[in-house]
C-alpha cells in the first residue's frame, strides 16, 4: 500500500505517474526539503510551524489557490501544538489581506487519505480565493468515493414530489 500518496486521488494520468514515481523513491513532496526539487512553485513564506506556497495544481474555478503546509511531516492536525493553530489563523489572515478576495474557503483533510479524499499523506490546508463568476464550481472531495451515481441520488425524492 502507498504510504505517502493515494494514487487513486490523482486528478490526471500525468499527476498519477508523477506520484507513483515519488512513492517509489520515498519522497514526500510536502516535506519542505523536497519542495524546491519536486514542485514547480516555490515556498513563499516559512513560519515556525508552517510554510505557504501556491498550489502547483490550482483547482478550476479558484482565483488563487494556496497550500499551508506543516514544516513537520504529520498526517493529522492534532499532531501539531495549539500554537500551530494560532499561526495558521495568522497566515490565513495575512493571505486574505494580501489577496483581498470577495470570499475564501479553507479545506483541510486529516487522517487516512483514503477516507478523506486526500492525495498526499502530509497534512496540508487548502486556502482558496473565490470570485462571483467562476469558470467552474470549485469542488473538494472530502471522503472516500461513494457508490457510482451516489451523488445523483443524494437527495431522495419526497413522497409526492414529481420526478
Ligand atoms: Zn512530508
Amino acid at each position: 500500500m502507498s504510504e505517502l500518496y493515494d494514487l487513486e486521488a490523482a486528478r490526471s494520468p500525468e499527476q498519477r505517474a508523477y506520484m507513483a514515481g515519488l512513492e517509489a523513491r520515498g519522497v514526500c513532496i510536502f516535506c519542505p526539503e523536497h519542495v524546491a526539487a519536486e514542485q514547480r512553485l516555490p515556498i513563499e513564506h516559512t513560519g515556525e510551524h508552517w510554510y505557504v506556497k501556491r498550489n502547483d495544481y490550482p483547482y478550476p474555478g479558484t482565483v488563487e489557490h494556496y497550500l499551508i503546509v506543516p514544516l513537520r511531516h504529520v498526517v493529522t492536525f492534532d499532531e501539531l501544538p495549539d500554537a500551530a493553530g494560532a499561526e495558521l489563523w495568522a497566515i490565513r489572515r495575512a493571505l486574505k489581506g494580501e489577496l483581498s478576495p470577495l470570499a475564501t474557503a479553507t479545506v483541510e483533510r486529516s487522517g487516512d487519505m483514503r477516507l478523506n479524499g486526500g492525495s498526499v499523506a502530509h497534512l496540508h490546508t487548502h486556502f482558496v480565493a473565490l470570485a462571483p463568476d467562476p469558470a467552474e464550481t470549485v469542488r473538494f472531495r472530502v471522503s472516500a468515493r461513494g457508490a457510482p451515481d451516489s451523488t445523483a441520488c443524494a437527495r431522495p425524492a419526497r413522497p409526492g414530489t414529481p420526478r
Side-chain angles (χ1 to χ4, degrees):
M1 190 197 89
S2 273
E3 303 264 315
L4 296 172
Y5 304 95
D6 182 1
L7 302 182
E8 299 311 311
R11 287 155 63 228
S12 68
E14 295 75 28
Q15 192 185 18
R16 185 191 166 95
Y18 174 58
M19 285 159 59
L22 292 166
E23 181 80 52
R25 291 186 293 142
V27 170
C28 171
I29 56 163
F30 282 158
C31 279
E33 64 270 28
H34 294 137
V35 170
E38 304 294 346
Q39 296 202 48
R40 274 177 245 153
L41 300 170
I43 291 174
E44 296 183 16
H45 165 80
T46 301
E48 191 175 330
H49 298 282
W50 306 85
Y51 69 83
V52 181
K53 72 179 294 292
R54 285 186 165 83
N55 192 353
D56 282 1
Y57 303 95
Y59 288 12
T62 59
V63 176
E64 295 283 358
H65 187 159
Y66 277 87
L67 299 173
I68 310 169
V69 186
L71 293 166
R72 275 175 47 211
H73 184 98
V74 298
V75 173
T76 67
F77 72 89
D78 51 321
E79 292 175 74
L80 297 169
D82 287 357
E87 188 186 334
L88 176 61
W89 209 261
I91 289 168
R92 289 172 57 195
R93 190 185 302 281
L95 283 173
K96 185 186 173 202
E98 236 170 75
L99 305 171
S100 302
L102 295 174
T104 66
T106 305
V107 174
E108 180 189 287
R109 302 175 176 98
S110 179
D112 189 332
M113 63 187 160
R114 292 165 303 164
L115 306 187
N116 64 26
S119 55
V120 184
H122 189 135
L123 184 74
H124 52 287
T125 297
H126 295 263
F127 181 91
V128 298
L130 303 161
D133 297 307
E136 284 183 38
T137 303
V138 178
R139 295 180 192 285
F140 284 88
R141 185 165 62 85
V142 292
S143 75
R145 290 185 196 283
D149 293 333
S150 64
T151 53
C153 55
R155 268 197 327 189
R158 269 179 265 146
T161 305
R163 306 212 83 187

